[in-house]
């Protein structure tokens, strides 16, 4: 078991009608002027934005608005938000939406609190020293950004997608009403479930001895998400399944399922370059490359992959760990297909040329400062091979 620090300062308000408490939660922080940040028109059409505004009004708070956050949130909108916050004297960032909106708000929170270009954080030129407080009203269970220390932003100059992590940007509260996710398209729900699973899978697959309790928590979370995802493909308005997935999304990325363990984040690194270059849905991109990554590295910790096959997917344990591991990888891909997720780049809708494969690998290696991975260290040639396998 590794040493670890577990820090989760986010106050969670969970359940039906919980968005009505938003104003009071902001007021608890002693803040007075809110940037209300959201994405497209769904928050407006559903009436959620009006309910949040009513709550802010009842709490005696002022606000200004900035919509337009996109999947794979853009640096240009972050910079626009930073300028708006400074002009308006904003002292609190409130994200109403999913992970993209929350990530965008986090980046703005850094940008307002410090001088200098916020992109410097995401490309590794400096570390953040301050951030405005951020709160979230969650509408999509997926990224886990409502309780995590991380955010991911895409720079349109070169279409570079990079993440940055700091406890400074952990939301001070997260309002989570599972009913708000019921109108999501089936595909978007499936993408979200895939992302949630991957946040724990990336922590689960490592070559080191783990922690029995953490492993058991991780396995139970993954089984629960898979069971609930199957329910939601047929019953999208099933409140209990929505609630299970929403809470799992938060626990999957707040550090709990990695305590005392290692972790290998190369599937996310591989997908980030796909998202940056082709603007694909994040969960779908993860599903498209995971099987190729797994087959490329499983021999370096076959027992771990075999345990996943048995404890998560319910396959019988075989005498040979590598054989069980391979059956587990195939079974996981079958599950992705069951949800309508792609298991190759072509199914994802992209067909990179050889030059584009090389570019993806080069950008991914650069993001990892030459290479990365815990199961097996992957350098540029390895990354290119995995992208090629994923075709």
């Amino acid at each position: 078991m590794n040493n670890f620090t577990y820090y989760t300062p986010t106050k969670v308000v969970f359940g039906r009608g919980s968005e009505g408490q938003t104003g009071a939660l902001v007021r608890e922080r002693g803040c007075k002027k809110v940037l209300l940040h959201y994405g497209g028109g769904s928050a407006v059409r559903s009436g959620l934005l009006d309910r949040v505004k009513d709550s802010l009004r009842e709490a005696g708070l002022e606000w200004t608005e900035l919509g337009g956050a996109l999947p794979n949130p853009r640096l240009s909108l972050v910079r626009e938000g930073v300028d708006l916050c400074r002009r308006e004297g904003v002292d609190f960032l409130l994200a109403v939406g999913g992970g993209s909106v929350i990530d965008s708000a986090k980046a703005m929170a850094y940008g307002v609190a410090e001088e200098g270009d916020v992109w410097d954080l995401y490309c590794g030129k400096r570390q953040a020293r301050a951030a405005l407080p951020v709160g979230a009203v969650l509408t999509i269970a997926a990224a886990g950004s409502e309780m995590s220390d991380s955010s991911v932003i895409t720079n349109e100059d070169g279409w570079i997608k990079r993440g940055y992590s700091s406890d400074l940007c952990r939301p001070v509260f997260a309002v989570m009403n599972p009913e708000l996710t019921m109108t999501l398209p089936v595909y978007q729900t499936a993408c979200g479930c895939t992302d949630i699973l991957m946040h724990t899978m990336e922590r689960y697959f490592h070559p080191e001895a783990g922690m029995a309790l953490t492993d058991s928590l991780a396995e139970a979370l993954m089984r629960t998400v898979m069971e609930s995802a199957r329910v939601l493909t047929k019953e999208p308005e099933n409140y209990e399944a929505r609630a299970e997935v929403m809470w799992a999304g938060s626990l999957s990325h707040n550090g709990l399922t990695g305590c005392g363990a290692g972790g290998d984040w190369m599937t996310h690194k591989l997908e980030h370059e796909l998202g940056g270059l082709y603007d694909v849905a994040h969960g779908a991109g993860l599903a498209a490359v995971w099987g190729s990554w797994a087959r490329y590295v499983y021999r370096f910790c076959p027992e771990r992959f075999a345990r996943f096959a048995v404890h998560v997917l319910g396959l019988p344990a075989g005498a040979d760990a590598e054989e069980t591991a391979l059956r587990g990888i195939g079974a996981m891909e079958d599950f992705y297909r069951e949800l309508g997720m792609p298991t190759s780049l072509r199914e994802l809708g992209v067909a990179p040329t050889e030059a584009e494969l090389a570019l993806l690998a080069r950008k991914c290696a650069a993001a990892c400062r030459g290479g990365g991975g815990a199961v097996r260290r992957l350098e540029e040639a390895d990354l290119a091979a995995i992208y090629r396998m994923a075709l």
Side-chain angles (χ1 to χ4, degrees):
M1 181 182 73
N2 294 334
N3 294 353
F4 66 89
T5 298
Y6 182 57
Y7 179 60
T8 53
T10 306
K11 181 176 183 176
V12 174
V13 180
F14 194 102
R16 293 181 173 94
S18 51
E19 63 270 23
Q21 301 183 47
T22 305
L25 290 165
V26 176
R27 191 173 57 198
E28 284 178 3
R29 307 298 303 181
C31 298
K32 298 179 180 179
K33 184 69 174 283
V34 175
L35 176 67
L36 191 55
H37 186 42
Y38 53 96
S42 61
V44 177
R45 291 191 302 271
S46 68
L48 173 60
L49 208 60
D50 285 339
R51 296 197 298 277
V52 171
K53 290 177 183 178
D54 287 343
S55 180
L56 296 175
R57 191 178 295 110
E58 290 168 8
L61 299 167
E62 297 181 12
W63 70 86
T64 189
E65 299 177 32
L66 180 62
L70 298 171
N72 299 311
R74 308 296 199 261
L75 178 62
S76 59
L77 187 66
V78 169
R79 288 170 171 158
E80 181 181 343
V82 169
D83 291 342
L84 176 61
C85 288
R86 287 175 173 165
R87 288 197 309 272
E88 295 287 335
V90 165
D91 58 4
F92 192 94
L93 278 294
L94 179 61
V96 180
S100 295
V101 179
I102 301 169
D103 282 8
S104 184
K106 288 179 176 181
M108 293 175 197
Y110 292 130
V112 177
E114 296 185 347
E115 294 298 323
D117 186 2
V118 68
W119 183 247
D120 289 346
L121 303 176
Y122 291 83
C123 63
K125 290 184 178 179
R126 62 183 175 89
Q127 297 296 312
R129 299 184 302 276
L132 292 190
V134 176
V137 179
L138 188 64
T139 63
I140 302 172
S145 191
E146 67 277 0
M147 287 188 77
S148 81
D149 66 349
S150 62
S151 63
V152 180
I153 299 297
T154 297
N155 187 341
E156 301 99 310
D157 183 8
W159 295 103
I160 301 168
K161 186 176 179 180
R162 294 288 180 267
Y164 181 70
S165 297
S166 167
D167 283 333
L168 291 169
C169 79
R170 287 187 188 269
V172 296
F173 67 76
V175 172
M176 293 191 275
N177 176 0
E179 291 178 320
L180 299 179
T181 70
M182 288 182 179
T183 58
L184 291 173
V186 172
Y187 185 80
Q188 196 168 6
T189 297
C191 284
C193 291
T194 301
D195 195 14
I196 292 167
L197 285 166
M198 200 65 67
H199 284 150
T200 288
M201 289 163 69
E202 300 266 66
R203 292 174 166 92
Y204 186 83
F205 289 112
H206 56 80
E208 303 169 8
M211 184 177 183
L213 177 58
T214 297
D215 283 347
S216 296
L217 289 169
E219 289 158 1
L221 185 148
M222 289 186 281
R223 290 194 303 269
T224 299
V225 173
M226 293 176 75
E227 291 165 7
S228 298
R230 289 186 171 109
V231 171
L232 292 174
T233 60
K234 300 174 182 177
E235 304 172 40
E237 295 187 3
N238 186 305
Y239 180 86
E240 297 303 323
R242 289 285 179 187
E244 297 281 7
V245 168
M246 181 170 266
W247 187 223
S250 298
L251 297 183
S252 191
H253 207 30
N254 73 355
L256 179 67
T257 58
C259 290
D264 187 308
W265 290 90
M266 290 309 298
T267 301
H268 262 78
K269 297 289 188 182
L270 288 158
E271 193 287 327
H272 281 175
E273 303 312 323
L274 293 171
L277 194 59
Y278 301 110
D279 201 24
V280 298
H282 178 55
L286 292 170
V289 297
W290 180 80
S292 296
W293 168 83
R295 288 187 176 88
Y296 197 82
V297 305
Y298 79 95
R299 289 188 179 88
F300 291 83
C301 59
E303 294 81 7
R304 194 68 178 168
F305 280 87
R307 177 177 174 131
F308 176 78
V310 174
H311 288 249
V312 178
L313 299 172
L315 299 181
D320 183 78
E322 288 197 13
E323 180 186 342
T324 304
L326 279 173
R327 286 192 287 114
I329 294 167
M332 193 65 199
E333 289 182 315
D334 287 342
F335 171 74
Y336 290 146
R337 295 185 190 104
E338 190 178 341
L339 295 191
M341 289 286 96
T343 56
S344 71
L345 296 185
R346 286 192 174 88
E347 290 176 10
L348 182 63
V350 299
T353 64
E354 192 61 34
E356 288 170 332
L357 289 172
L359 175 62
L360 287 166
R362 185 164 62 251
K363 290 174 68 177
C364 189
C368 301
R369 292 171 174 77
V375 176
R376 175 187 176 183
R377 180 175 172 81
L378 302 175
E379 298 181 349
E380 186 173 331
D382 302 300
L383 299 168
I386 293 171
Y387 282 127
R388 197 171 291 109
M389 286 172 64
L391 287 173

